Amino acid sequence: SGLKGSQTATIKYGTTSGSYTTSDVPKITNANEDKTIYWQVTAPNHATQTGSYTITMNQTTGYLTATVSNPTYNGGAQVVGTIASNSGSYYFGFGSSTTSAPTSWGSANTALFATNAGTYYVWVKCDASTNYNAVGAKYIGTATIYQKAVTVTAGSTSKVYDGSALSYKSATLSGQVSGHTLNSYNCTGSITNVGSTSNVPSAAKIYSGSTDVTANYSISYKNGTLTVTNASFTVSAPNQTYTYTGSAQGAAITVSGLKGSQTATIKYGT
């Protein structure tokens, strides 16, 4: 301002004192990139003026966004947290609640993994970078690895009645992760007399090798059936011929092959 007449000024800039090499306004791009700008203004019939000023760019607020996932247990490590965008080096961790941040943090990575079924309170934080301030510990959501559904089915069996109780400890597991096995279980059911009853499974334990992984499964139980069928026995009733004696005469039939302590009831008719 202050030019006389119709004169126009020529403005030159430089980054070294006494050197004015460009008419383009110097700029800075990144934070903490402070720069001293030297300037020279000339105009016909006016005294030349020089000076300097400093431009500074401060860091802006850092940002960090992430999402959580809710997979079903599959026996391996699965993603439960993923960074969507960030302003620097970031870290995942598991807190003890939605308000209690982790006491330790993993290495910087693109995702957070977990293996076992359960609830995980996912937290992230972000270190400062050239242009952004650090982002402190931030709760982003609760991730859940759901239990995998499996079925334990009790075995079924039958026998012919023999006077002793029938029970059957046998069960199979279906729907489990490959390599996982039914380690132990109970079967409750007993029948002695002819008929049928349920063979009821319970208390199943599922293992991966020598490791108990039962907590990763939602177990449904399916009953088996115990059946006792009729036994057979032998009746002997031979024809008989008698000579008259004046007294009543007759032959009884005989029964053999009864099981246990059972006795037969015999009735006759003509």
Side-chain angles (χ1 to χ4, degrees):
S1 62
L3 291 173
K4 305 301 188 287
S6 60
Q7 302 298 314
T8 58
T10 299
I11 303 173
K12 295 278 190 176
Y13 301 92
T15 56
T16 302
S17 179
S19 176
Y20 313 103
T21 59
T22 180
S23 58
D24 295 326
V25 177
K27 300 176 182 178
I28 57 176
T29 302
N30 295 314
N32 300 316
E33 192 181 327
D34 298 350
K35 184 175 292 187
T36 299
I37 308 300
Y38 298 91
W39 54 266
Q40 180 191 66
V41 180
T42 59
N45 303 309
H46 292 76
T48 297
Q49 296 191 45
T50 59
S52 66
Y53 61 91
T54 300
I55 56 176
T56 300
M57 185 176 291
N58 296 320
Q59 288 179 314
T60 190
T61 303
Y63 63 92
L64 180 63
T65 58
T67 58
V68 297
S69 303
N70 300 290
T72 297
Y73 175 76
N74 67 4
Q78 299 187 83
V79 173
V80 294
T82 306
I83 291 295
S85 62
N86 68 294
S87 57
S89 297
Y90 52 88
Y91 304 85
F92 277 110
F94 292 128
S96 58
S97 71
T98 60
T99 57
S100 297
T103 56
S104 62
W105 298 83
S107 301
N109 48 30
T110 57
L112 180 65
F113 294 84
T115 300
N116 292 318
T119 298
Y120 298 89
Y121 302 104
V122 181
W123 290 68
V124 291
K125 68 175 182 176
C126 189
D127 289 345
S129 61
T130 301
N131 296 310
Y132 296 93
N133 297 317
V135 178
K138 178 181 180 182
Y139 167 73
I140 63 166
T142 299
T144 300
I145 295 182
Y146 292 105
Q147 292 176 315
K148 183 173 177 59
V150 294
T151 301
V152 173
T153 304
S156 296
T157 191
S158 65
K159 72 171 185 177
V160 174
Y161 173 80
D162 63 3
S164 64
L166 172 64
S167 59
Y168 189 46
K169 186 176 181 180
S170 174
T172 57
L173 175 67
S174 60
Q176 74 275 26
V177 171
S178 177
H180 292 188
T181 57
L182 184 58
N183 179 267
S184 63
Y185 55 90
N186 293 330
C187 281
T188 303
S190 179
I191 186 171
T192 300
N193 295 323
V194 171
S196 62
T197 192
S198 295
N199 193 24
V200 182
S202 63
K205 292 290 185 182
I206 302 171
Y207 272 59
S208 173
S210 60
T211 302
D212 187 346
V213 294
T214 307
N216 293 303
Y217 290 98
S218 173
I219 303 174
S220 296
Y221 291 96
K222 185 177 180 180
N223 294 344
T225 302
L226 303 177
T227 304
V228 175
T229 59
N230 285 314
S232 60
F233 57 90
T234 301
V235 177
S236 297
N239 294 325
Q240 296 288 338
T241 301
Y242 299 96
T243 300
Y244 176 77
T245 64
S247 299
Q249 299 181 76
I253 65 173
T254 60
V255 176
S256 61
L258 292 173
K259 306 300 189 291
S261 59
Q262 302 299 314
T263 58
T265 299
I266 304 173
K267 293 199 173 183
Y268 302 92
T270 58

